[in-house]
Amino acid sequence: MNDTSLAELLPAARKLEEKIIGLRRRLHQYPELSLEEAETSAVIEALLEPLGLDVRRGVGGYGVIADLQGGKPGPLIALRADMDALPVQEETGLPFASRVPGRMHACGHDAHTAMLYGAAKLLVERRSELAGGVRFIFQAAEEVNEGARAIVEAGGMAGVDEIYGLHNSPTLPVGTVATRVGGMMGSVDRFSATIQGRGGHGAMPEQCVDPVVAASAIVLSLQTAVSRELSPFDPAVVTVGSIHGGNAYNVIPDRVEIEGTVRTFSARVRDQLPVMLGRLVGGVAEAHRCTAEVRYLRMVPALENREDNVCAVNRVTRLLLGENGLTEAAPVLAGEDFSVYLERVPGCFFWLGAGPQANADQAYGLHHPKYTIDEDCLAIGAAVLAAIPLYRGFAG
Ligand code: NI
């Protein structure tokens, strides 16, 4: 597989564009939430079967895995797409908008699935030129950080040498790819705390132990966990996203529940934070005569790209999209459970431009009810995905 034949993948993907867009729109109309992707996985399976792939269904829930064996020996490269939608009411007004109330493909996983299907079509046509094999992983339940782990636990990564995946970015112009070596996305952990006081009359605080005041102090003191206890060179975020307590303006409630998330790039900091949080929440609660029960749930690690694999993505991007098609991604503390695969095998995750050239900064972001993509990115994404295993087999 030489550079010229790799570059031909883009025109070849354009020929499949109608099919890829058709699949994306079909999935877009019938979004399914995490852990409920029964129809979506059935649609994928029905499309993969006729391609002559070795298809496994129900891998770690609704995951679908399909293997393609190339014509020559070489590495087994996994390509992954996610399939789940979000509990969002779509407001795009598009003719193919969601037909399910309160459900929307607001993160573009419909597009990811369609692109991976397109890549499978392209690679099946080039099977004889492929050295090694390709495993197509259609993963469920990304939004709840469970799908990747379920695939791994079901043995879906057995034999895989490298893994690649993408996420669309509506704020990046279509025709571009962005990635980076090392930490690109943050770890995702979740905590909650119950602050227990003693309720009573709002006018007689001396007879009560007020958990609202304690919870307020706790929320503020959590911010100092980051600013005063961690190095400014170790980025971390502690966000309290939910506080619940009380139902009446003149009643001091018995308890307050708070819930939040913790993000960082550093495994060391990630291990430190549960201890810091426990100490701060417990200590501040006690200072206010309350008690606190803290629960901490580790979800997914930070996403770390390996240099060798980033180079492969950069190389095929330059071939397909030219020098201007490649930019370096800025790290973000948003999470992505692709990191669970990267804990086990080397690989690269990248952003695929899906936004309009002119007003990318006005685009509606991921998870917004008006989020849209420029469908021109679909053929591009399929071509880039297909090019990676062809290039890796060739280079290796
Ligand atoms: Ni997403």
Side-chain angles (χ1 to χ4, degrees), residues 3-188:
D3 287 3
T4 323
S5 43
L6 277 178
E8 280 163 9
L9 282 165
L10 189 51
R14 291 282 181 217
K15 285 190 192 136
L16 293 175
E17 196 159 40
E18 214 171 299
K19 266 204 171 74
I20 303 172
I21 291 176
L23 173 57
R24 186 255 162 166
R25 291 185 177 187
R26 180 175 168 193
L27 297 175
H28 196 86
Q29 287 180 21
Y30 301 100
E32 292 176 301
L33 293 183
S34 311
L35 307 171
E36 296 174 6
E37 306 92 335
E39 284 307 312
T40 307
S41 65
V43 167
I44 297 308
E45 192 203 9
L47 285 167
L48 294 173
E49 287 286 5
L51 298 183
L53 301 171
D54 174 15
V55 182
R56 276 179 283 165
R57 193 177 177 186
V59 186
Y62 288 116
V64 179
I65 286 184
D67 279 357
L68 170 69
Q69 197 48 54
K72 304 165 203 168
L76 178 60
I77 309 285
L79 303 174
R80 172 272 210 171
D82 41 15
M83 305 189 287
D84 50 335
L86 286 160
V88 170
Q89 179 63 45
E90 180 159 352
E91 292 174 14
T92 61
L94 288 167
F96 56 87
S98 171
R99 297 192 180 183
V100 188
R103 305 278 184 272
M104 178 186 175
H105 267 294
C107 203
H109 297 186
D110 52 342
H112 303 165
T113 299
M115 285 187 257
L116 188 57
Y117 166 68
K121 292 271 289 176
L122 289 167
L123 285 163
V124 164
E125 288 165 13
R126 286 159 185 78
R127 168 178 261 169
S128 61
E129 296 164 73
L130 178 69
V134 183
R135 176 162 301 165
F136 303 94
I137 300 177
F138 294 88
Q139 179 206 307
E142 192 283 325
E143 296 290 357
V144 293
N145 296 303
E146 289 181 25
R149 206 171 299 284
I151 295 270
V152 169
E153 281 167 8
M157 287 293 283
V160 170
D161 294 298
E162 297 175 6
I163 187 162
Y164 298 84
L166 61 76
H167 204 293
N168 75 92
S169 170
T171 51
L172 198 67
V174 75
T176 57
V177 160
T179 186
R180 68 183 288 110
V181 177
M184 185 163 102
M185 301 182 79
S187 58
V188 181

Side-chain angles (χ1 to χ4, degrees), residues 272-356:
Q272 263 174 280
L273 277 157
V275 182
M276 285 163 54
L277 251 70
R279 176 171 44 74
L280 274 165
V281 173
V284 176
E286 199 191 333
H288 290 80
R289 298 180 293 148
C290 291
T291 57
E293 188 195 321
V294 184
R295 293 160 298 271
Y296 200 95
L297 180 64
R298 286 167 72 95
M299 296 174 84
V300 299
L303 187 148
E304 298 248 2
N305 287 327
R306 200 76 73 84
E307 184 169 10
D308 188 31
N309 310 98
V310 171
C311 288
V313 169
N314 288 349
R315 179 93 175 95
V316 301
T317 298
R318 280 197 192 93
L319 274 170
L320 294 173
L321 305 174
E323 197 60 46
N324 293 337
L326 185 64
T327 53
E328 190 180 45
V332 286
L333 282 172
E336 163 58 71
D337 82 352
F338 192 81
S339 62
V340 171
Y341 302 115
L342 290 180
E343 258 188 329
R344 283 154 184 88
V345 295
C348 173
F349 192 71
F350 56 95
W351 295 106
L352 179 79

